[in-house]
Amino acid sequence: MNRFYRVVFLLAGALQLAAPLCAQPSDPRALTHREDPKMQAFVDELMGRMTLEEKIGQLNLLAVGFDVTGPVVSKDVDANIRRGNVGGVFNTYTPAAARQLQEQALKATRLKIPLLLGFDVVHGHRTMFPMPLGLAATWDMQAVEQSARIAAEEASADGLHWVFSPMVDIARDPRWGRVVEGAGEDPYLGSCVAAAMVRGYQGPDNDLAQPNTVMACVKHFALYGAAEAGRDYNTVDMSRQRMYNEYLPPYKAAIEAGAGSVMSSFNDINGIPATANRWLLTDLLRRQWSFRGFVATDYNAVNELTAHGLGDEQRAATLALRAGVDMDMVGEAFLKYLADNLKKGLVSPAEIDQACRRMLEAKYRLGLFRDPYRGISDKRAHQTMGRPEFVAASRDIARRSLVLLKNERQTLPLRKAGTIALIGPLARSQRDMLGSWKAAGDWQQAVSLEQGLRNVAGSAVKLMYAQGANLTADRRLFDQLNAGGELTFDVRPAEELIREAVQVASQADVIVAAVGESAGMTGEATSRADIGLPGRQLALLKALKATGKPLVLVLMNGRPLTLTWEDENADAILETWFAGSQGGNAIADVLFGAYNPAGKITMTFPRVLGQVPIYYSHKNTGRPALGDQNDKYKSSYLDVPNAPLYPFGFGLSYTTFTYGKPTLSKATIGPAETLTVTVTVQNTGNADGEEVAQLYLRDLVGSISRPVKELKGFQKVLLKRGERKTLTFRLSVDDLKFYNDDLQFVAEPGAFQVFVGGNSRDVQAADFTLE
């Protein structure tokens, strides 16, 4: 690690011991950009020379290259660029390709307005980090920001200006495949992650003219994570009160951190699709939140307003522009219809001018008018991609993201001796280690679990392998999910694969079973109706359990799974998500004890699918489940408890931690006072380790029903064996506020409880009153 990064992150590590890891921005530089007189004068002059067609061209975003569905090339790209009909291009990178596209705009067009080049950089560019659900599990905002900063360094050196990240959707239904792209279920933690990602992409000073920054694009605006039945693209129906309290905070945090752009979501909201929703894109985003950047649609979303039932494409173009959309991704509805719609009086010149102005301002902020190439070169790219310190950070952050869910009889860490049976369809996979949205990451450079075990254990351990099962018994689905991958479908009968695995396992001292989902089973368009282990993997685990050998599960997955049998029968379970380029090494570090796991889940794991949606910050009913246990008439199931398998914030360590009862500075506080909460945490085990101390709050009496717990702070602290530390949290009246039934942000006087502990379930409480 070079000196700059070493100093920055050593300082960050020291600071995190003393302060909560999430704070609201106070520096004006962190807020959305203010009026810049020079920029306004420049844009005014340029627009004064633009024709209507050139203005509309700036609103057109085309695709050249590849996306998740395969090759995508918009028609007549070169011709449209030369005619000035393109404002931006996405899915193209490398200095040579970026320069070639930019040169067409600069040499062939009348006004020589540079292109905006974007790409799906979600969890790294060339150097891949854990999927965002794993990044959030670190509860380490310095690590989250560092991952985005490295992604910005690499992406900008590869010719990119704009990244479609962070995804900040709150998600509480694990059937939805895109939960892997977000921070989980909690608005407070989600807000922390959103702001950290924006700071990482856009730089600590939010100076996008610096050539090693990229403009963030907050997605998906809004409420996409609440799609009914966890089915992608599906409808959302939600009260404004719930929006403001539970789903909107991470978007707002990203805007306040200075994000330069926003992407509209596919879903409708209370009957109006987001891409045509003026309340959402104008009243809320721009008027209430004072957002000054631009709004782009998601892929083809303007055209898809027709399928939503809002009319033909010409009407859709009108609805989207008037709602507040500035850039049309791929569909070209703006390009085809806005000029005609203007003649018909369906849109105004001011509306087209406003959208064009926002696009030009974004390019000005990025420094593209001063240097359209932003210093890209093959030399810079070569010196930037995969630098040793980036690779080291990938491994370190991956280790921090892993969550130990179970560890009976100290099965882990493993000894670097004897024989290990490595079983499972994901044990040798490099592609799946990268997860979905792998951007420019090369899966052939990724470290598989098998290779990681060999790298860390060396020759001291004999490693034996068997696949044991296919990821799915459906060959057609397997081929679709593994398109271009290195995995092969074993055509032998499932029973034969299991018998082979049992034979290998019987010769080993311990079994490490690499099971879960493939990368193709998560991400966009990957909703699952059954969130158990797919295929015959559970049958494989049952057969391995019958050998009597210690059974360690290494889970690779992009969502909470139903793991009731696994939790009851495995000796240890390590949740690894999709851990990135260095995933295999990171997992091996944890399995062999070179790193003590400290990750905590940010999305509740249900016992069974029927509990979904399940999340910790639910509200009580008039007949709470924890009431009289002899009373049948309460809000509970007949066949399973209400409680989840693993609660929000849960994660074990190779050591143990105990919490004292929280102490409050006052029993009663006034509207202008701050409450200080102190708690003692002690490492009572036999190893050094990190713990995430979490502070929750409950408003006991309100004008509306309030959640049973809400996360309001956390601190990640390193404790040596036997060490004890007193942590301090501070709560202001702002932390007690919520949106009431009139959407007023208020703190209501009355009784409160504060909880502190290592997860949302295992906490100790104290009481106070707000006057």
Side-chain angles (χ1 to χ4, degrees):
M1 182 174 287
N2 68 29
R3 186 183 178 196
F4 171 78
Y5 281 106
R6 185 168 61 248
V7 171
V8 167
F9 294 111
L10 282 176
L11 286 173
L15 289 171
Q16 75 178 13
L17 300 181
L21 295 183
C22 180
Q24 295 302 314
S26 57
D27 189 331
R29 293 174 300 178
L31 301 177
T32 309
H33 74 94
R34 299 176 173 182
E35 292 283 349
D36 179 342
K38 291 183 179 179
M39 177 177 71
Q40 297 305 322
F42 177 89
V43 173
D44 286 344
E45 191 278 332
L46 178 58
M47 289 187 65
R49 294 187 285 126
M50 294 175 73
T51 66
L52 173 65
E53 290 72 20
E54 288 168 331
K55 292 175 181 177
I56 293 173
Q58 288 301 302
L59 317 185
N60 190 29
L61 177 63
L62 299 185
V64 180
F66 289 80
D67 74 358
V68 292
T69 62
V72 174
V73 179
S74 298
K75 295 179 180 179
D76 303 320
V77 174
D78 292 347
N80 272 318
I81 291 175
R82 289 192 295 270
R83 286 194 292 263
N85 287 341
V86 181
V89 171
F90 73 103
N91 280 355
T92 292
Y93 57 91
T94 72
R99 183 172 290 276
Q100 182 179 355
L101 282 172
Q102 203 68 281
E103 284 178 349
Q104 291 186 62
L106 296 174
K107 293 180 179 180
T109 63
R110 185 176 73 91
L111 294 176
K112 299 178 173 32
I113 299 174
L115 297 170
L116 180 66
L117 303 182
F119 196 47
D120 277 294
V121 176
V122 175
H123 58 116
H125 181 62
R126 297 278 188 173
T127 303
M128 303 303 296
F129 294 89
M131 290 298 301
L133 192 61
L135 279 173
T138 66
W139 294 66
D140 185 332
M141 297 308 107
Q142 282 81 23
V144 172
E145 183 174 338
Q146 182 187 11
S147 72
R149 181 86 292 275
I150 291 171
E153 292 272 3
E154 293 188 336
S156 61
D158 231 3
L160 297 167
H161 319 135
W162 181 35
V163 295
F164 304 150
S165 177
M167 193 202 94
V168 303
D169 304 316
I170 294 298
R172 293 171 171 177
D173 191 330
R175 292 174 295 182
W176 190 46
R178 302 195 81 160
V179 302
V180 72
E181 299 172 40
E185 70 186 52
D186 184 71
Y188 180 86
L189 180 64
S191 296
C192 296
V193 172
M197 294 289 284
V198 171
R199 289 193 301 268
Y201 289 135
Q202 299 193 173
D205 298 321
N206 199 23
D207 182 1
L208 288 169
Q210 296 300 314
N212 65 343
T213 63
V214 288
M215 179 174 283
C217 185
V218 182
K219 62 183 190 183
H220 306 85
F221 199 64
L223 317 180
Y224 193 23
E228 285 185 359
R231 210 167 67 238
D232 215 348
Y233 318 116
N234 208 6
T235 191
V236 171
D237 202 296
M238 184 184 295
S239 70
R240 294 274 171 96
Q241 179 199 103
R242 191 171 199 187
M243 290 182 200
Y244 278 74
N245 283 319
E246 301 176 36
Y247 282 82
L248 291 177
Y251 303 104
K252 189 170 187 287
I255 299 306
E256 290 179 340
S261 65
V262 166
M263 181 184 291
S264 67
S265 56
F266 284 120
N267 55 284
D268 76 70
I269 299 169
N270 300 343
I272 303 176
T275 302
N277 197 313
R278 184 171 176 81
W279 173 81
L280 181 72
L281 301 181
T282 296
D283 294 345
L284 176 66
L285 181 62
R286 298 194 183 280
R287 292 177 181 163
Q288 293 185 35
W289 293 356
S290 301
F291 176 61
R292 298 296 305 274
F294 72 90
V295 174
T297 74
D298 208 333
Y299 198 101
N300 204 43
V302 175
N303 308 65
E304 291 171 12
L305 292 175
T306 298
H308 277 285
L310 269 63
D312 61 20
E313 288 185 2
Q314 186 160 12
R315 184 168 188 268
T318 296
L319 292 172
L321 183 73
R322 302 201 72 180
V325 168
D326 303 306
M327 191 170 231
D328 174 13
M329 183 186 287
V330 172
E332 301 187 41
F334 282 2
L335 189 66
K336 294 174 185 175
Y337 301 113
L338 283 189
D340 190 46
N341 288 353
L342 179 64
K343 291 178 184 178
K344 294 177 178 179
L346 301 175
V347 298
S348 69
E351 287 167 329
I352 294 174
D353 282 357
Q354 182 62 269
C356 178
R357 175 177 295 276
R358 290 169 181 154
M359 297 312 307
L360 296 176
E361 287 178 352
K363 294 178 180 184
Y364 184 96
R365 291 186 67 207
L366 284 160
L368 289 172
F369 290 106
R370 185 179 70 246
D371 177 10
Y373 304 106
R374 298 184 90 223
I376 58 169
S377 67
D378 289 339
K379 179 179 179 181
R380 176 185 164 196
H382 178 73
Q383 292 175 341
T384 302
M385 305 303 167
R387 280 164 32 188
E389 62 266 35
F390 294 175
V391 175
S394 173
R395 181 170 181 167
D396 180 55
I397 294 173
R399 300 189 308 183
R400 295 174 182 274
S401 74
L402 308 186
V403 182
L404 185 62
L405 296 175
K406 183 180 181 183
N407 192 25
E408 292 293 317
R409 297 179 298 278
Q410 295 182 320
T411 303
L412 294 177
L414 300 173
R415 294 183 306 113
K416 288 186 181 178
T419 301
I420 295 175
L422 179 60
I423 309 293
L426 292 164
R428 287 181 165 173
S429 178
Q430 294 170 272
R431 172 181 284 270
D432 292 296
M433 197 61 77
L434 296 186
S436 56
W437 298 111
K438 66 180 183 63
D442 182 357
W443 65 264
Q444 294 179 326
Q445 298 299 314
V447 180
S448 70
L449 175 59
E450 181 185 43
Q451 188 58 54
L453 292 174
R454 295 189 188 280
N455 291 343
V456 174
S459 60
V461 171
K462 180 180 180 182
L463 203 61
M464 302 175 67
Y465 165 80
Q467 180 173 317
N470 290 307
L471 278 168
T472 172
D474 184 336
R475 176 63 184 272
R476 185 172 60 179
L477 178 61
F478 177 91
D479 290 340
Q480 174 187 336
L481 297 175
N482 191 50
E486 84 279 23
L487 297 183
T488 57
F489 188 90
D490 197 317
V491 297
R492 291 178 292 170
E495 291 74 16
E496 184 176 341
L497 294 176
I498 291 175
R499 282 196 301 271
E500 179 183 65
V502 168
Q503 183 181 15
V504 170
S506 65
Q507 303 173 57
D509 301 306
V510 63
I511 303 167
V512 173
V515 294
E517 303 172 308
S518 70
M521 290 178 178
T522 64
E524 187 172 353
T526 58
S527 297
R528 290 184 59 201
D530 179 354
I531 56 172
L533 289 176
R536 297 297 305 280
Q537 293 181 91
L538 181 55
L540 169 64
L541 294 182
K542 290 179 178 180
L544 295 175
K545 174 68 177 178
T547 66
K549 305 286 186 176
L551 178 59
V552 176
L553 304 190
V554 173
L555 296 174
M556 299 182 195
N557 47 293
R559 52 164 59 85
L561 301 175
T562 50
L563 301 167
T564 304
W565 184 93
E566 293 85 342
D567 181 71
E568 291 174 352
N569 291 277
D571 295 285
I573 303 176
L574 183 66
E575 173 61 80
T576 72
W577 320 106
F578 300 110
S581 301
Q582 287 289 303
N585 287 332
I587 296 168
D589 284 341
V590 170
L591 290 177
F592 286 112
Y595 183 83
N596 189 351
K600 305 269 189 173
I601 58 174
T602 63
M603 198 169 177
T604 302
F605 276 52
R607 295 175 185 272
V608 296
L609 184 62
Q611 292 178 303
V612 170
I614 184 170
Y615 49 96
Y616 85 92
S617 58
H618 61 85
K619 297 173 184 176
N620 250 348
T621 69
R623 296 181 175 183
L626 297 179
D628 184 352
Q629 297 305 302
N630 296 316
D631 185 359
K632 171 184 176 183
Y633 298 98
K634 57 187 180 181
S635 182
S636 60
Y637 301 102
L638 289 175
D639 49 349
V640 296
N642 282 21
L645 184 62
Y646 306 122
F648 175 85
F650 178 81
L652 301 175
S653 170
Y654 293 153
T655 189
T656 54
F657 302 96
T658 58
Y659 286 76
K661 184 176 176 60
T663 301
L664 309 184
S665 59
K666 299 178 181 180
T668 302
I669 63 170
E673 294 181 298
T674 296
L675 180 72
T676 299
V677 182
T678 57
V679 64
T680 299
V681 184
Q682 183 174 6
N683 183 338
T684 52
N686 295 316
D688 300 346
E690 294 171 292
E691 171 67 342
V692 179
Q694 302 158 41
L695 182 143
Y696 297 87
L697 189 72
R698 182 176 185 184
D699 187 347
L700 290 167
V701 180
S703 58
I704 61 174
S705 183
R706 304 287 290 122
V708 296
K709 288 190 187 81
E710 294 178 284
L711 182 69
K712 291 295 181 179
F714 57 91
Q715 295 187 40
K716 192 168 188 177
V717 58
L718 173 63
L719 293 172
K720 296 186 180 297
R721 181 176 59 179
E723 186 179 7
R724 180 198 310 259
K725 284 188 178 179
T726 299
L727 306 181
T728 299
F729 297 87
R730 291 178 177 84
L731 291 173
S732 72
V733 173
D734 283 345
D735 295 310
L736 313 185
K737 289 182 178 180
F738 65 96
Y739 288 93
N740 65 15
D741 199 40
D742 296 319
L743 295 184
Q744 298 168 323
F745 194 51
V746 298
E748 297 176 342
F752 289 81
Q753 283 184 307
V754 62
F755 308 89
V756 183
N759 59 72
S760 60
R761 179 191 63 199
D762 303 316
V763 293
Q764 298 207 49
D767 301 292
F768 70 96
T769 301
L770 173 65
E771 290 182 333

